[in-house]
Structure formats: C-alpha cells, structure tokens
Amino acid sequence: MGGGVKKKGYVEMSTDSEILRVEHLKKAYGENVILKDISLSVHEGEVVVIVGPSGCGKSTLLRTLNGLEEIQGGSVTYRGVRVNGEKSGQPRRRFLNMKTPHSEKLSEIRQKVGMVFQSYELFPHKTILQNIMLAPVKVQKRDKQEVREEALALLERVGLKEKADAYPRELSGGQRQRVAIVRALAMHPEVMLFDEVTAALDPEMIREVLDVLLRLAEQGRTMVIVTHEMSFARAIADRVIFIDQGGIVEEGTGSSFFRTPKTERAKKFLETFSYDKISKHRKTG
Amino acid sequence: MQALGIDVLFKGTNGVRLLSGLWVSLRISLISVLISLTLGVLVGILMTKKQPVIRILTRGYLEIVRFMPQMVLLFIVFFGSTRVFGWDIDAELAAVIVFSFWGVAEMADLTRGALISIPKHQYESAAALGLNGKQTYFQIIIPQTLRRLIPLSINLITRMIKTTSLVMMIGVVEVLKVGQQIIEANRTSSPNAAFGIYAVVFLLYFLACWPISLLAKRLEKKWAVA
C-alpha cells in the first residue's frame, strides 16, 4: 500500500500547512479491532473525503480527529499537539463528575477542529441563535454582540435568518443540519469534520445541506468529510481515502479515485453505487 | 344548604377550624416536599453512579418504599418506635419523616430517569464545541434534566399533598380530622353534614392541588422537547 510513502512525501513538502496528522493509529474495543495502522494528514485548504462500506471504521476515524474516541496505538496530532492522550475519549455521562475528561488543551483543539454530526444534535432547550452563540460566548469568551451579529450573518448565508429565534424542534432535518454547520462555523475552526451529515435526512433535504458544504469548499475551507453520497464526494473531494476493514485501502485525488480506482476492492465498492454494473457483475459472477 | 349539610360550616368557628386543619395538612406536605425535592435530587444523582454498594443500597431503598403502604410506615414510625426504642415522636414529625422517606425515594428515581434520558450525543456535541465538563452540565445537561423533571415532580407533589389525609390515623388533627369532629359534634342538629363537610374537604384538597397541576401543564407545554 502506497499510503505511507505518499504521506511522508506530503510531510516533507509542506509541514507548515499540515493541520492534522494521524500516524499508525490503532483503535480497538477489546479484541475487536476497528482501525489498524492508519496514517494520513490533512493540509490547509484541502477537502478530504473518507469513503468505505458501512462499519469499515470511517466514522470512528473521524471521531479520533477531535478526541471523541480513545485510541489504542499511534497518534493523532493537531498542529503538532497530541489530540489523543489520557484525557481524550468519549465524554462521560456520569453526573457530578466535574473532574471530566476534557482537559484545557483538548478543549482548545476542539475549538479549532469543528465537528458536525449525523443527527445534528442541536441543544433542544435553546433557540437556534442560542445554540450558535453558546460556545463562542461561553468557551471563547467573545463579545456577545459581535458573536450575535456573526451568527445572524452566517444564518443568512444558509437561508435561515428568520429562524434565529425558533427552537430546533420547529425546524426540518435539513434546516437543523444547516444550523449545526453554522454552529460549528461560528467557532472559527481551522478544519471541519463532517460525519455522514446527510445520512439521517430525507432525500429532498440532502441537497440543501450538500450545497452548503460545496460553498464552504469553494471558500477554501479545510474539511474532512465522511459520506455515502458518491456523486457529492466526487464533486467536492481534493483527495479521497477509501477505507475497508479498518485500513486505508486506496488514496487518490477525487477524479482519479472515481474514474480509475486502482484496487479491486475500491472497484467493487464503487460498483455497488451504480445499478447497471451490479447486474452485469451478477451475470458474470 | 340544609339538605347538603353545608350550613354546619357557618356555625361557630367551624369554617376557620377547617381551614386551620388544612394548614396542618399543607404544612406537613410542604416540609416533606421541600426535603424530598432537595434530597431526592441528590440521591438521584447518586443512583446514576455505577458503584455497586451505592447501587444496592439505593435500589433496596426504592423497592422498600415502592411496596410498603404509607400507612404501615406511619404506624411503624409513630407507634413502633415508641414501643421499641422508647422515642416519643410528635405525630406531625412522624408524618414528615414518613412522607420525606417516601418522597425522597420517588424523587430520586425520577431524577435518575431524567438524567439518563439525556442522550449521549448531547454530551458529545457539547464536547465537540469545546465546552468543558462544568459548562456541559450547567448549560446543557442540568437545564434539560430540569425540564424533564418538573412536570414529573409536580405530579409527585400533588400525590404527597393528598396522601397527607392518612396522618389523622396517627392522631394529627388535620383537615380531614377536623371535618370528622365537626360532623360528629353536629350529628343530631345536621345529620347531613357528612356530605357537606367531606365535600368541602374534597374541594379544599382540590384547590390546593389544582394550581400546581395547572402549573405543570403550562411548563410542560412551554418546555416541550421534540
């Protein structure tokens, strides 16, 4: 697999523009290995799309990038600072445990590595505007008025300014997901992680969310996207990483990966998305 | 009025006596409710811990309260403790002890339920925004838990208020007991007082609980979480 060599090349060429770096990452739940020996890096302005069959570990990989998952080996670094460590891992639900696993350092990294989830996870007891303003005001201690203006401007850009004072329950799935994106953007992250952000949406709402992502890419945002939408992946990706059974199987530019996949497994995977090829495949097989 | 036996209410100080009886009932419930809410929330938080000893103790406590009739508990605390330990507990105090013992357990269980019903994702998305533990609890978890908890605990409060009618069994002269006394005293002059006075007692309980129930409905509507 040429991934390792390629990665070294990146590092030597442009260490300064490197935002995230993953080296020999291993993730396992007991005996069950989810990710084995993953190495990759994300550079400024790059849109990296991670694809692969369900359960291949791509969402888990994404969650290691902002320390939401503990890892069992290797390292994840943001601008040279380790993301993983004793304090990373899933935030615990146990109550009255103020000694939580969020260190100051991790909080700072998470402010720079924004994340949008599949099920949006807005805070149901806060209005749209309050959802967006919470972290910039409470965590980053920014001026309330300034944050408010920025939040409204961002909402306007995704066409939801009139929903500022609504509650999440009053919005459709697509609208909620756009708010979740704005909420992450308001933190001024350096890189944004998107974890299957359209997977929970009705088909007619997928487009409105993907359009927002495409616009962000046009603006030169650094993004790491996990998605099942192949035509979208093709349109937006600078680089595609194909993961299967916990390892990187193939890595390539967006156009080359989809046009001429090098590995047999990637070919097979891409064929599952086009129906004429499936039937051909069945006849020959 | 005569036929319904309500006229008795206006004889002498009967009306005032009934109201002061109501005050005794409300006083017992109010103190018990305050103890139940505060201690209950704390015990409820304890119940979310995975520590086995805490689990067994809280679990056992909850089961005892669930299956033990309140009246039996009242008798044990008021009569039983006097015989066995020689304690001379005031009846009102005994009532407060029993009602708090019951209320804390139920409140704890409600709190536990509300806390664990907050989805894990809420913690995660708070963490992903850089919120630390304290900020997550005070901004995200506690407000949502309270919203779930208030309608449930108001239901508990009204149940506690109406169950205070049991305390006349251990000699507390509360609204129901005063009612009985009035009926007994006027047995010959107004034989229908049983209907009128009990109806008034019912009305008093209703008036005490109804506003609380209304408040619960309003809060539920206001805080509905889709």
Side-chain angles (χ1 to χ4, degrees), chain A residues 193-261:
Chain A
L193 313 176
F194 293 92
D195 186 10
E196 301 193 31
V197 289
T198 57
L201 297 178
D202 290 334
E204 68 268 28
M205 288 172 184
I206 291 177
R207 189 57 199 243
E208 65 188 48
V209 172
L210 295 185
D211 278 341
V212 173
L213 266 63
L214 284 166
R215 252 182 290 150
L216 291 176
E218 277 167 23
Q219 292 162 15
R221 286 243 165 222
T222 314
M223 305 197 272
V224 184
I225 302 169
V226 166
T227 185
H228 282 297
E229 302 283 329
M230 286 307 138
S231 49
F232 165 71
R234 189 175 189 158
I236 201 168
D238 292 321
R239 191 150 54 94
V240 177
I241 294 174
F242 173 59
I243 293 184
D244 194 12
Q245 292 174 346
I248 295 181
V249 175
E250 189 170 334
E251 211 178 331
T253 63
S255 50
S256 76
F257 175 80
F258 287 102
R259 210 173 321 116
T260 53

Side-chain angles (χ1 to χ4, degrees), chain A residues 66 102-104 106-114 135 138-140 187, chain B residues 123-133 135-136:
Chain A
N66 70 346
H102 319 273
S103 67
E104 278 300 304
L106 192 57
S107 167
E108 269 167 44
I109 291 172
R110 282 170 172 163
Q111 292 171 43
K112 288 292 164 197
V113 185
K138 295 284 173 194
V139 180
Q140 297 181 323
M187 296 292 285
Chain B
Y123 291 79
E124 281 190 353
S125 71
L129 285 167
L131 269 71
N132 63 27
Q135 288 163 338
T136 304

Side-chain angles (χ1 to χ4, degrees), chain A residues 115-116 122 128-129 131-133 136 142 147-148 150-161 175-189 192 194 212-213 216 221, chain B residues 129:
Chain A
M115 185 160 190
V116 182
L122 298 178
I128 299 309
L129 197 58
N131 261 278
I132 300 168
M133 289 174 63
R142 277 154 58 194
V147 173
R148 189 191 162 83
E150 188 190 344
L152 288 171
L154 284 169
L155 277 176
E156 186 157 32
R157 260 198 272 164
V158 298
L160 290 173
K161 196 182 178 185
Q175 291 174 328
R176 285 186 217 186
Q177 193 58 288
R178 281 183 279 160
V179 171
I181 294 171
V182 166
R183 186 174 69 174
L185 278 173
M187 296 292 285
H188 301 157
M192 305 242 311
F194 293 92
V212 173
L213 266 63
L216 291 176
R221 286 243 165 222
Chain B
L129 285 167

Side-chain angles (χ1 to χ4, degrees), chain A residues 1-141:
Chain A
M1 189 192 81
V5 178
K6 207 169 171 188
K7 191 215 80 218
K8 264 182 208 152
Y10 273 123
V11 172
E12 279 156 19
M13 270 167 12
S14 51
T15 313
D16 290 341
S17 75
E18 186 184 65
I19 298 176
L20 288 167
R21 182 200 282 196
V22 177
E23 281 179 311
H24 307 295
L25 169 72
K26 188 188 166 206
K27 164 83 194 172
Y29 294 109
E31 293 287 286
N32 188 11
V33 178
I34 309 294
L35 296 168
K36 47 194 175 201
D37 198 31
I38 300 259
S39 296
L40 61 91
S41 54
V42 179
H43 295 259
E44 278 172 17
E46 213 183 6
V47 178
V48 177
V49 176
I50 302 174
V51 297
S54 318
C56 70
K58 53 191 190 300
S59 280
T60 310
L61 171 61
L62 198 71
R63 290 161 55 86
T64 63
L65 297 182
N66 70 346
L68 280 181
E69 294 282 347
E70 273 172 79
I71 64 175
Q72 278 65 48
S75 70
V76 178
T77 51
Y78 161 80
R79 295 268 182 211
V81 185
R82 276 176 84 99
V83 173
N84 62 301
E86 58 198 285
K87 298 267 179 100
S88 66
Q90 290 186 9
R92 271 184 237 161
R93 296 176 67 173
R94 262 186 280 164
F95 205 71
L96 266 205
N97 192 356
M98 292 300 174
K99 282 179 280 161
T100 52
H102 319 273
S103 67
E104 278 300 304
K105 195 189 76 191
L106 192 57
S107 167
E108 269 167 44
I109 291 172
R110 282 170 172 163
Q111 292 171 43
K112 288 292 164 197
V113 185
M115 185 160 190
V116 182
F117 297 87
Q118 177 180 331
S119 46
Y120 3 104
E121 290 310 330
L122 298 178
F123 304 126
H125 61 297
K126 292 186 180 289
T127 65
I128 299 309
L129 197 58
Q130 288 168 342
N131 261 278
I132 300 168
M133 289 174 63
L134 175 68
V137 170
K138 295 284 173 194
V139 180
Q140 297 181 323
K141 315 279 182 216

